[in-house]
Amino acid sequence: MIGYNFSKYDPSQQGKSKFEQLLDIFLKMLAYTNGDAGEAMQWMNELDKEYNLTDDEYGMGDFFEDLKKNGYIDENKQNGEIKITPKTEQGIRRKSLEEIFGKLKKTKQGNHQTFKPGNGDEINPETRPYIFGDTLEQIDFTSSIRNAQINHGVESFSLHEDDLEIRETDFKTQTSTVLMIDISHSMILYGEDRITPAKKVAMALSELIQTKYPKDTLDIVVFGDDAWTIEIKDLPYLQVGPYHTNTVAGLELAMDILRRRRNPNKQIFMITDGKPTCLKVGGRYYKNSWGVDRKILNRCMSLATQCKKLKIPITTFMIASDPYLQRFVQEFTETNNGKAFFASLDKLGSFIFKDFESGKRKTVY
C-alpha cells in the first residue's frame, strides 16, 4: 500500500530545495553568532534535534558538504576551522534585506527621481525652445536642424537661435548617508540583544543602497569609547565591547566623512539605546554613566547645531524608552531640526526604511 506523508504547508518554502531551506536558517544564525560559522553549525544541529530539519535522505552532514561545494564556507584542513566566504557575507546582507525591506530588483541607475528638471543622466522626451543660459550639451540637434530647414528652406541652410530646441534631463537626487551604530556594553545588557537587530538593519540598508541606489554612498560608523569606520563586509562580525557611549566621537567622524562627499544631500542615521556617557578631552576619557551629564550633553548639542548649519539632518533611532532618554533625544532633535523615532527592536528596520525612502521623494535644492 502506498502511503502519503503530510506536513504543514509553508508558502515561503515553495519550490526550495532542502539545501536552500537550510541555507536560509544558516544565514540567519550567522547574524546572531557574529559570523562564526562553527557556532552557527552547532546551532543548526541543535535546531535539527528539536525540529527535525533534516531526514534520512538529506542530513546535516550533507548540508555541510554542500556549503563547502557551493562556496559558502572555507575549511582549514590543518585545524578544521571553518570560515564564511564573501559570498556568504553578501548572502547575509541580502537575507536581511528580504526580511526587512522585501525583495528589490537590482537597477543599473539610481532611482531618486523628482519632478524638478535639471542636470542629470535620464533624458526627458519633452523639448522646449532655447533660452539664454542653456548649455551646448542640452541642444537637440536633430530637432533644431529640422526646424531650420522648415523655417529657412533646405537650399540655403542657416541655423538661428529661434530654431534651437532643448532636451532636458531629469534631476536625480543622490544622497550620502552615514549610519552610526552604538556598540557600547548596554546594547547587550539586561538580557536583551539590541546589537543583532542593529546589524541586520545596517546590512539591509547597505544592500538596499547597493542594489536600488548604487549612486548613493553609505558609510558605517561604530562608536563606543571612540569611533571608527567599518567596511560593509565586516558587518556580520560586529560585536559590542566593554565601552561607554561616546556619541560626540561618532558625530565628529560622521561629519568629517560627509564633508568629503560631493553629493549635495547628506544625512546621518544614528541607532543607539542610551545617553552619551563619554567624552575624550585631550588624551583622557571623561566618563559619567549616572544620568545626563551637562558637559557631555552640551558638546552633543554643539555638534547638532553644526550639522544643522551644514544642512546635515540627523535621524535618531532610540531603542530604549526611559523618559529622561526621550527628553535628551527630543532636545537633541530640536537643536538639529532633525527627526527621532523611539523604535522597538522588531520595528527598527521598517522605521529606517520608511524614513530613508521618504527622503528620496523630496526635492532638495
Side-chain angles (χ1 to χ4, degrees):
M1 179 177 178
I2 299 177
Y4 296 91
N5 181 26
F6 293 92
S7 61
K8 183 179 178 181
Y9 173 68
D10 184 355
S12 65
Q13 302 298 331
Q14 188 176 14
K16 288 187 176 182
S17 66
K18 179 63 73 172
F19 171 75
E20 291 171 330
Q21 294 174 28
L22 293 174
L23 179 62
D24 286 344
I25 302 172
F26 181 67
L27 293 176
K28 287 184 178 181
M29 289 296 101
L30 286 171
Y32 288 94
T33 63
N34 303 315
D36 188 326
E39 185 180 352
M41 283 303 300
Q42 291 176 10
W43 277 108
M44 292 293 292
N45 282 316
E46 292 299 320
L47 291 172
D48 188 28
K49 288 179 184 177
E50 186 165 351
Y51 298 105
N52 299 318
L53 302 180
T54 63
D55 50 38
D56 292 340
E57 294 183 7
Y58 192 89
M60 201 56 69
D62 297 315
F63 173 64
F64 181 73
E65 290 300 320
D66 284 344
L67 284 175
K68 289 191 290 184
K69 189 194 317 181
N70 289 285
Y72 286 99
I73 59 173
D74 284 331
E75 183 177 16
N76 189 319
K77 294 183 179 180
Q78 295 182 347
N79 56 21
E81 182 183 7
I82 58 172
K83 292 184 178 180
I84 63 175
T85 64
K87 180 179 180 179
T88 308
E89 292 167 357
Q90 184 181 26
I92 300 171
R93 296 196 301 269
R94 187 179 296 116
K95 190 66 183 173
S96 298
L97 178 64
E98 292 174 358
E99 183 179 336
I100 296 174
F101 300 149
K103 295 182 179 180
L104 294 169
K105 184 178 179 181
K106 187 170 183 179
T107 58
K108 294 183 179 179
Q109 298 183 359
N111 193 24
H112 303 319
Q113 295 90 352
T114 73
F115 295 107
K116 175 175 180 282
N119 293 329
D121 55 8
E122 185 76 16
I123 296 176
N124 191 315
E126 302 297 327
T127 61
R128 60 169 175 79
Y130 171 86
I131 59 175
F132 180 77
D134 289 332
T135 64
L136 184 65
E137 291 80 9
Q138 292 177 273
I139 297 174
D140 184 336
F141 284 100
T142 302
S143 298
S144 300
I145 292 172
R146 184 182 65 247
N147 291 341
Q149 291 174 339
I150 294 172
N151 295 335
H152 313 296
V154 179
E155 292 151 355
S156 57
F157 177 78
S158 61
L159 186 67
H160 297 247
E161 182 178 318
D162 293 341
D163 303 323
L164 298 177
E165 282 195 31
I166 299 299
R167 188 174 295 278
E168 292 180 335
T169 53
D170 288 333
F171 179 79
K172 290 185 177 182
T173 61
Q174 297 176 20
T175 306
S176 290
T177 303
V178 173
L179 177 62
M180 293 173 52
I181 303 176
D182 183 352
I183 58 168
S184 62
H185 186 55
S186 61
M187 291 289 277
I188 55 169
L189 276 181
Y190 314 117
E192 187 171 42
D193 177 11
R194 297 168 175 173
I195 189 63
T196 299
K199 282 195 304 183
K200 290 175 71 174
V201 167
M203 288 187 287
L205 187 60
S206 65
E207 193 67 14
L208 170 72
I209 289 176
Q210 289 177 330
T211 54
K212 192 175 181 183
Y213 305 114
K215 292 184 179 180
D216 282 11
T217 65
L218 174 67
D219 294 277
I220 312 293
V221 169
V222 296
F223 62 103
D225 288 348
D226 295 289
W228 60 95
T229 59
I230 63 170
E231 299 291 331
I232 290 174
K233 65 181 179 61
D234 297 326
L235 279 169
Y237 312 104
L238 185 62
Q239 302 182 54
V240 302
Y243 307 127
H244 287 71
T245 308
N246 192 344
T247 308
V248 168
L251 288 171
E252 287 177 336
L253 181 54
M255 291 171 64
D256 185 55
I257 291 170
L258 291 176
R259 283 192 190 98
R260 299 194 298 267
R261 296 299 184 192
R262 295 185 178 182
N263 287 342
N265 309 309
K266 303 173 183 181
Q267 62 185 349
I268 295 173
F269 287 168
M270 178 167 64
I271 303 174
T272 182
D273 73 329
K275 62 188 180 299
T277 59
C278 179
L279 189 67
K280 196 166 186 179
V281 182
R284 70 181 186 89
Y285 294 97
Y286 174 83
K287 301 176 181 178
N288 183 357
S289 300
W290 310 103
V292 177
D293 188 289
R294 182 52 56 179
K295 181 176 181 178
I296 300 174
L297 182 64
N298 287 344
R299 182 61 183 145
C300 285
M301 297 305 169
S302 175
L303 291 175
T305 302
Q306 289 181 41
C307 284
K308 181 180 178 181
K309 291 179 179 178
L310 294 170
K311 297 182 179 179
I312 302 175
I314 303 171
T315 303
T316 305
F317 299 90
M318 175 62 72
I319 47 179
S321 57
D322 307 64
Y324 75 97
L325 290 178
Q326 293 189 5
R327 286 194 296 272
F328 155 70
V329 172
Q330 182 176 355
E331 185 177 352
F332 180 83
T333 302
E334 289 174 353
T335 303
N336 174 255
N337 197 25
K339 286 178 284 185
F341 296 93
F342 298 92
S344 59
L345 292 175
D346 60 331
K347 298 293 184 181
L348 179 62
S350 61
F351 271 122
I352 290 184
F353 171 69
K354 289 176 183 176
D355 190 70
F356 182 83
E357 287 284 276
S358 67
K360 305 306 123 202
R361 293 191 289 270
K362 296 176 182 177
T363 302
V364 183
Y365 297 94

